[in-house]
Amino acid sequence: MRHPILAANWKMHKTVGEATAFVARLLPRVEEARGVEIVLAVPFTVLERVGRSLEGSAVHLAAQNVHPEEQGAFTGEISPGMLADLGCRYAIVGHSERRVLFAETDDFVARKAAALLERDILPIVCVGESLEDREAKRTWDVLGAQIQGSLARVPDELAGEIVIAYEPVWAIGTGRTATPEIAQEAHAFIRDRLANRFGAAGAQIRIQYGGSVNPENVYALMQQPDIDGALVGGASLDPEAFARIVAFESQGSVQ
Ligand code: PGA
């Protein structure tokens, strides 16, 4: 049984004041959430303050990126140990914005994931094809290569510690969500790759969908057999909207 995981990815949004106001509004709204895991991936600058606000709650703190080295001459970078020090439980790696805008490769993503695991931080490893890839019928090649490359350094015995986020680039921030069927098809493909790589443990790895998830579409996505959660950008900036996404089961009755 895979435990649903709903994660907010704030990207480059929110000051300390805005972040603490968000948490104050979110927590009372998700108190009743049972059986789901809730994660807030926030900018580095608010990790410490948000972490303190989340103390005593069931909501997990996450970073949006990390550098694979523990320390050294890497101006502007943040290490896994620094994130562990602030109480991060998760960190996103390989988001398409980092792959595209900052030229991150699968190998770099793989080093990040492995470095996080050494610090007991669970990596949320993002994969996803571009519109060009999809139209050229390269989706499975691209996803297969990203899974293989980005997970290359994950030790077999730690397979259960990773989360995958399938985020088709054409659906991110565009309002153009993958249909539940298109998303399920990709999740099933990824599940198959994970089983190839990790054997039976691959069946336990959670795969989130990301790309224009909102309170209206989350229920149908979550009904799919291989969709185990969501990684939410735009709609996660509003505490009410994110709380409704967390309570996705009750969104079914309002469809
Ligand atoms: P979106 O972003 O929900 O705004 O499409 C998702 C993501 O990039 O993680």
Side-chain angles (χ1 to χ4, degrees):
M1 165 69 192
R2 299 185 300 264
H3 205 50
I5 175 166
L6 289 311
N9 174 15
W10 284 357
K11 308 191 181 183
M12 197 170 71
H13 292 283
K14 295 194 192 292
T15 60
V16 170
E18 289 162 350
T20 49
F22 176 101
V23 174
R25 285 170 63 198
L26 178 73
L27 290 184
R29 289 171 168 79
V30 297
E31 256 169 18
E32 305 290 304
R34 298 271 179 277
V36 299
E37 209 172 339
I38 309 169
V39 178
L40 294 186
V42 304
F44 291 131
T45 47
V46 303
L47 277 173
E48 207 252 9
R49 193 63 188 78
V50 168
R52 274 195 279 139
S53 306
L54 294 179
E55 268 169 29
S57 82
V59 179
H60 295 293
L61 184 67
Q64 299 173 13
N65 187 24
V66 70
H67 191 277
E69 299 294 331
E70 258 313 311
Q71 56 187 21
F74 300 100
T75 301
E77 294 296 319
I78 304 288
S79 74
M82 293 170 181
L83 298 182
D85 191 36
L86 294 180
C88 284
R89 177 74 180 132
Y90 288 92
I92 298 171
V93 292
H95 191 281
S96 64
E97 286 150 18
R98 299 222 54 94
R99 291 178 185 267
V100 174
L101 302 173
F102 302 95
E104 293 195 3
T105 62
D106 285 327
D107 184 55
F108 197 43
V109 175
R111 287 174 56 208
K112 293 174 186 222
L116 287 168
L117 288 168
E118 284 195 14
R119 283 289 187 170
D120 290 327
I121 299 174
L122 314 188
I124 297 176
V125 182
C126 301
V127 296
E129 80 287 1
S130 67
L131 185 59
E132 205 189 348
D133 294 330
R134 183 160 279 270
E135 286 175 345
K137 306 211 180 314
R138 284 196 303 262
T139 299
W140 310 130
D141 290 346
V142 169
L143 291 180
Q146 287 178 340
I147 289 286
Q148 192 182 6
S150 304
L151 303 183
R153 295 166 191 257
V154 174
D156 285 0
E157 66 278 14
L158 296 184
E161 308 281 290
I162 61 171
V163 174
I164 306 293
Y166 168 63
E167 298 204 309
V169 179
W170 47 271
I172 295 177
T174 57
R176 185 177 165 192
T177 326
T179 62
E181 294 70 29
I182 289 177
Q184 167 57 28
E185 190 186 23
H187 281 233
F189 173 84
I190 292 167
R191 173 86 55 219
D192 184 63
R193 299 284 94 194
L194 294 173
N196 268 1
R197 168 74 169 76
F198 296 112
Q204 294 314 313
I205 297 175
R206 291 173 297 174
I207 309 174
Q208 298 177 302
Y209 168 78
S212 299
V213 174
N214 62 41
E216 281 69 45
N217 61 27
V218 65
Y219 178 81
L221 288 161
M222 291 298 290
Q223 295 317 296
Q224 300 300 316
D226 289 296
I227 300 185
D228 308 313
L231 182 57
V232 188
S236 78
L237 295 172
D238 174 61
E240 277 81 28
F242 186 59
R244 286 174 63 204
I245 289 170
V246 167
F248 65 89
E249 304 217 45
S250 56
Q251 303 304 322
S253 53
V254 298
Q255 298 275 306

